[in-house]
Amino acid sequence: MKTLVCAEPGKFEQAQRPRPESKPGHVRVKIGHIGICGTDYHIYGGHQPFLAYPRVMGHELSGTAEEASSDGRIAKGDLVVVNPYITCGKCHACTIGKPNCCEAIAVLGVHTDGGMCEEIVVPEGNLYPAEGLSPKAAAMVEFLAIGAHGVRRGGVRRGMSALIVGAGPIGLGAAIFAAIEGADVTLRDTSQSRLDLARKALPSARYELVGQETPGAYDVVFDATGNIKAMNAGLAHVAHGGAYVLLSVVKGDLVFADPEFHKRETTLFASRNALKEDFEHVIAKIRSGEVPVDALATHETSFEDAVTSLPLWAEDRGTLIKAIITV
């Protein structure tokens, strides 16, 4: 079958791979659409740690089930969203209902080959029916679920003020779901072009360029910058009694002044990946029309053209929100 392979940093090419073999408890999926993630750009650029090349990337996936699941949830021909987090089911995190932070987690397209290919075989529990969604919208569920999970972790509810620092896809996803919960949302970024793109998707929010921000504190602050300096600085924006949610995962040490942390009685959350209920929440909100998926999908390419499109977008990510490959 046809695949897209990052053979080494800076080398992205089409290649032939064997069709995956069927496994008990798994379902074969014909991939239809693939969202390109920041992680994919990092892999292409050689900046993703603990990754072995060559790697078939791709973890934002939708497709068609080519066989039914044994539990009856999925019929042959159903449009499905793929949850790319393959978990062990046995570790402490899995047994307490938090497989998103499984001790042996393997993310498709990162720790193991992913979905930039014609077919993939995945555990049936990692597939969610996407009835009522377009195939392209279904490929955006995974990245939106990360933001939705963070919003749930932060306990966002109506009447709260929420600051999201970092207006990339993950930050924008968090902003959208904070707004859905009824929060008063502010998005902050160092890039005016990213803010302009975000404004088209979520016009109800306030937008601030770093360095020109309005003084104030917020009930919940989300960091989606991928920058350790910004993560360390974010505590200053949390209101007394508020929460700080870290969507970013970076190398480096978090350093807070303990008196500032304590006098606010700050609640600090790490937010990693997403759970089934987050995927289902996102699917429901897309189906109800509350998520502006058309404004989020700013760029598209074909499977054949992706080998030239992805490297170009990797160098100019400030002009796009989400790029989608059609297989």
Side-chain angles (χ1 to χ4, degrees), residues 103-136:
E103 295 173 23
I105 198 166
V107 180
L108 295 176
V110 182
H111 305 107
T112 187
D113 282 343
M116 287 192 182
C117 57
E118 293 181 289
E119 290 185 349
I120 193 168
V121 173
V122 294
E124 60 184 29
N126 284 68
L127 298 177
Y128 309 132
E131 182 181 358
L133 272 62
S134 71
K136 184 166 65 175

Side-chain angles (χ1 to χ4, degrees), residues 116-306:
M116 287 192 182
C117 57
E118 293 181 289
E119 290 185 349
I120 193 168
V121 173
V122 294
E124 60 184 29
N126 284 68
L127 298 177
Y128 309 132
E131 182 181 358
L133 272 62
S134 71
K136 184 166 65 175
M140 290 187 274
V141 169
E142 191 271 344
F143 93 85
L144 289 166
I146 292 174
H149 182 72
V151 167
R152 189 160 58 87
R153 290 278 286 157
V156 176
R157 59 186 182 273
R158 184 165 300 280
M160 282 185 165
S161 59
L163 170 66
I164 294 86
V165 186
I170 299 300
L172 182 52
I176 288 168
F177 279 90
I180 286 173
E181 294 301 324
D184 183 18
V185 173
T186 299
L187 258 168
R188 189 176 291 168
D189 202 279
T190 58
S191 167
Q192 186 62 56
S193 64
R194 279 197 296 268
L195 292 174
D196 292 341
L197 283 169
R199 185 179 284 109
K200 294 177 182 178
L202 188 63
S204 63
R206 280 191 298 275
Y207 292 88
E208 296 181 345
L209 199 61
V210 171
Q212 301 177 17
E213 52 268 82
T214 302
Y218 299 81
D219 293 312
V220 188
V221 175
F222 297 87
D223 180 273
T225 63
N227 182 293
I228 192 63
K229 290 183 179 179
M231 293 167 72
N232 285 331
L235 178 64
H237 307 303
V238 180
H240 285 236
Y244 190 22
V245 183
L246 300 176
L247 300 170
S248 297
V249 181
V250 299
K251 287 184 177 181
D253 296 327
L254 287 168
V255 180
F256 301 138
D258 185 63
E260 292 297 321
F261 186 77
H262 265 83
K263 78 180 185 182
R264 290 168 168 78
E265 198 178 47
T266 307
T267 303
L268 178 64
F269 291 102
S271 183
R272 186 182 185 195
N273 300 328
L275 292 167
K276 178 182 179 182
E277 60 196 282
D278 302 307
F279 280 81
E280 292 176 340
H281 180 54
V282 170
I283 290 169
K285 293 303 179 182
I286 294 176
R287 188 183 294 123
S288 68
E290 295 175 73
V291 180
V293 287
D294 290 339
L296 296 174
T298 55
H299 291 65
E300 296 182 51
T301 190
S302 67
F303 196 81
E304 288 71 25
D305 291 342

Side-chain angles (χ1 to χ4, degrees), residues 3-6 17 54-58 109-110 112-117:
T3 61
L4 294 170
V5 180
C6 189
R17 291 282 184 91
R55 175 63 70 224
V56 177
M57 300 186 293
V110 182
T112 187
D113 282 343
M116 287 192 182
C117 57

